C-alpha cells in the first residue's frame, strides 16, 4: 500500500489539473492497512503516513490533502495494541480537537474516534482516562457497548467500586430514557469480575448484590439481563479469593443454586471448585472435606461429558500437594495425575514443579523417567505430545470464565 502511495505522489502530488489532484483518500487507505496489521510498529507506521500527509498538505496548500477524522481515527486504531497505545491515542485525539478549533471541520472527533481512543486507553491500563473520554460524549451518543468497554478496563485493573459507578450511570441514563445505555448481562458480569479481582473485603457482598440486581431485572422482563455462567463464576471466584473458612461449602451451594436456575456447569465451573478446595488449610477436618469435594468433582467430569484441561490437572496437583497427607497416597495420586495429564496432552511446568517439590528424586524419576537431582526438568525435555494442549499462561482461568457463556 505504501508503494502504491509512493507512485501516486510521484504522479499526482504536484499536478495542476484539479481532476488529478492527490487527496487524503489514498493516505487514509494506507493508514487503514496499517491499522489492520498486528504488531507494535503498526501505530508508528500509520502515524508516519499521517505526518507525511500533513507535510504535503502544508507544501501544496491542496485542501483535499488535509487530514480528516478518518485519518486520525485510523492512526489511533493502529495504536490500540501498542504498549503506549493509550497515551498515543490521547495525544492524537487532542490534535484532532486542535485541528477542529483551527478550522479543519472535517477533523472533528466523532463517536467512532472516541470509541477507538477509549479502547486504546482500556487496553493500556488507562481506564480513568477512558472514563474521562466517556464523560466528554453527549448522553445521546453513549451506548451499552462503550460503557461495557470502560467497565472492562476497570475489570482488568481490579477496580470494583469504579466499575460499579459506571454501571450505576448506565442504569441512571436508561431510566432517563436513553435505552441504548441500558445494562445487559455482560455489564453485570464484567462489574462482578472487577469486584472479584479487587482487594476489597467487600467483594463477595458486592458480587452478591450485583447478581441480585441482574436476576431482578431479568425477572422483571429484561431478557438481556438473563444470568449465566459468567455471573456465578465471578461470584465463586470472589468467594475463593476472600479466603473464608466456609468457602468450599459456599461455592458448592452457589453452584447448586446455579443448576436450580437451569444453568449447567462447565469445565470452568469444576476448575473453580477444585481450585477452591486446593486453597483450604485451616484445619485437618476442613482439609479432609475439601479433598473429598475435589476428588468427587474431578471424578464426575467424565460422566458429565466434560473433559479436563491443563488448569484442571494443575489444580488437582495443588490439591494433592496441600490436602493429601499420607506419603503413599500422595505418591499414587501424583502418578495418576501425571499419567492422565500426559495422556491427554495437558502436562505443564507447574505440575512438574509441584511433583518435584513433593517427592524424592527417586520417586520423581520413577514417575516421570526424568532426574530432578540437580534441577527440575523443563517441560521442553518431555515428549511434546504430553503438553500439546497445555495452558502456558495460568491466568487463562479468568479468560475462560469471561467467555464461558460464549459471549465475547
Amino acid at each position: 500500500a505504501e508503494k502504491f502511495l509512493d507512485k501516486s505522489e510521484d504522479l499526482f502530488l504536484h499536478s495542476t489539473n484539479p481532476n488529478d489532484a492527490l487527496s487524503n483518500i489514498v493516505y487514509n487507505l494506507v493508514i487503514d492497512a496499517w491499522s489492520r496489521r498486528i504488531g507494535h510498529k503498526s501505530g508508528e507506521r500509520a502515524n508516519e503516513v499521517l505526518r507525511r500527509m500533513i507535510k504535503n498538505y502544508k507544501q501544496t496548500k491542496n485542501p483535499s490533502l488535509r487530514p480528516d477524522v478518518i485519518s486520525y481515527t485510523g492512526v489511533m486504531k493502529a495504536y490500540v495494541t501498542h504498549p503506549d497505545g493509550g497515551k498515543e491515542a490521547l495525544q492524537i485525539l487532542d490534535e484532532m480537537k486542535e485541528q477542529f478549533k483551527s478550522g479543519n471541520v472535517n477533523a472533528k472527533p466523532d463517536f467512532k474516534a472516541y470509541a477507538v481512543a477509549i479502547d486504546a486507553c482500556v487496553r493500556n491500563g488507562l481506564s480513568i482516562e477512558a472514563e474521562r473520554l466517556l464523560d466528554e460524549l453527549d448522553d445521546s451518543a453513549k451506548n451499552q457497548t462503550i460503557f461495557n468497554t470502560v467497565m472492562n478496563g476497570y475489570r482488568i485493573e481490579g477496580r470494583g467500586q469504579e466499575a460499579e459507578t459506571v454501571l450505576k450511570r448506565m442504569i441512571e441514563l436508561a431510566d432517563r430514557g436513553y435505552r441504548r445505555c441500558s445494562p445487559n448481562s455482560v455489564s453485570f458480569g464484567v462489574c462482578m469480575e472487577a469486584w472479584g479481582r479487587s482487594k476489597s473485603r467487600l467483594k463477595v457482598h458486592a458480587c452478591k448484590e450485583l447478581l441480585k440486581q441482574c436476576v431482578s431485572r431479568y425477572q422483571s422482563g429484561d431478557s438481556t439481563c438473563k444470568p449465566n455462567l459468567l455471573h456465578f463464576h465471578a461470584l465463586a471466584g470472589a468467594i475463593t479469593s476472600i479466603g473464608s473458612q466456609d468457602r468450599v461449602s459456599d461455592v458448592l451451594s452457589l453452584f447448586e443454586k446455579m443448576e436450580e436456575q437451569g444453568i449447567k456447569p462447565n469445565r470452568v465451573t469444576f476448575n473453580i471448585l477444585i481450585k477452591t478446595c486446593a486453597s483450604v488449610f485451616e484445619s485437618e477436618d476442613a482439609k479432609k472435606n475439601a479433598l473429598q469435594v475435589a476428588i468427587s468433582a474431578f471424578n464426575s467430569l467424565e460422566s458429565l461429558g466434560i473433559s479436563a484441561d491443563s488448569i484442571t490437572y494443575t489444580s488437582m496437583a495443588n490439591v494433592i500437594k496441600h490436602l493429601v497427607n499420607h506419603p503413599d497416597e500422595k505418591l499414587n495420586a501424583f502418578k495418576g495425575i501425571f499419567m492422565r495429564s500426559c495422556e491427554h496432552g495437558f502436562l505443564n511446568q507447574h505440575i512438574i514443579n509441584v511433583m518435584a517439590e513433593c517427592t524424592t528424586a527417586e520417586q520423581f524419576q520413577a514417575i516421570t523417567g526424568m532426574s530432578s537431582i540437580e534441577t527440575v526438568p523443563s517441560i521442553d525435555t518431555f515428549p511434546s505430545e504430553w503438553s500439546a494442549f497445555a495452558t502456558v499462561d495460568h491466568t487463562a482461568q479468568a479468560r475462560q470464565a469471561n467467555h464461558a457463556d460464549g459471549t465475547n
Side-chain angles (χ1 to χ4, degrees), residues 67-180:
D68 57 15
V69 64
I70 297 174
S71 315
Y72 287 107
T73 303
V75 176
M76 287 194 294
K77 183 181 175 185
Y79 268 121
V80 164
T81 58
H82 190 277
D84 294 318
K87 188 184 300 182
E88 296 289 346
L90 289 172
Q91 291 178 354
I92 292 169
L93 190 64
D94 286 341
E95 184 177 338
M96 294 176 73
K97 295 174 185 177
E98 288 301 318
Q99 280 284 311
F100 177 67
K101 288 180 181 178
S102 65
N104 186 359
V105 294
N106 293 324
K108 182 180 181 181
D110 57 9
F111 176 82
K112 184 176 180 180
Y114 271 93
V116 172
I118 287 171
D119 186 32
C121 288
V122 162
R123 290 171 183 252
N124 285 268
L126 299 174
S127 298
I128 292 178
E129 289 295 323
E131 187 174 2
R132 179 181 65 78
L133 296 181
L134 177 64
D135 292 339
E136 292 182 11
L137 288 170
D138 187 85
D139 289 342
S140 61
K142 296 169 184 173
N143 62 26
Q144 181 187 93
T145 301
I146 203 160
F147 273 106
N148 285 352
T149 300
V150 174
M151 277 199 296
N152 188 52
Y154 286 131
R155 178 194 68 83
I156 295 169
E157 296 173 21
R159 304 176 71 162
Q161 188 65 66
E162 288 83 352
E164 188 165 349
T165 299
V166 175
L167 179 64
K168 288 177 179 177
R169 290 177 59 192
M170 295 179 73
I171 296 171
E172 178 189 349
L173 285 172
D175 290 344
R176 285 168 45 197
Y178 298 101
R179 302 305 301 170
R180 294 173 65 207

Side-chain angles (χ1 to χ4, degrees), residues 265-312:
N266 66 1
R267 181 192 299 127
V268 179
T269 311
F270 284 92
N271 286 349
I272 292 173
L273 180 57
I274 295 171
K275 181 181 178 181
T276 303
C277 293
S279 70
V280 172
F281 60 87
E282 286 80 13
S283 67
E284 287 305 314
D285 286 342
K287 290 169 67 175
K288 185 177 180 180
N289 176 65
L291 177 60
Q292 292 175 344
V293 172
I295 292 173
S296 176
F298 183 75
N299 289 339
S300 63
L301 288 174
E302 188 173 350
S303 63
L304 293 172
I306 300 173
S307 58
D309 66 359
S310 187
I311 297 170
T312 316

Side-chain angles (χ1 to χ4, degrees), residues 377-395:
S378 166
I379 185 68
D380 297 330
T381 62
F382 291 85
S384 59
E385 59 268 24
W386 290 4
S387 58
F389 308 107
T391 303
V392 176
D393 178 5
H394 296 294
T395 62

Side-chain angles (χ1 to χ4, degrees), residues 205-218:
H205 174 75
C207 285
K208 286 181 177 180
E209 289 301 312
L210 287 167
L211 181 56
K212 285 181 183 178
Q213 290 181 41
C214 186
V215 171
S216 176
R217 293 178 77 90
Y218 175 66

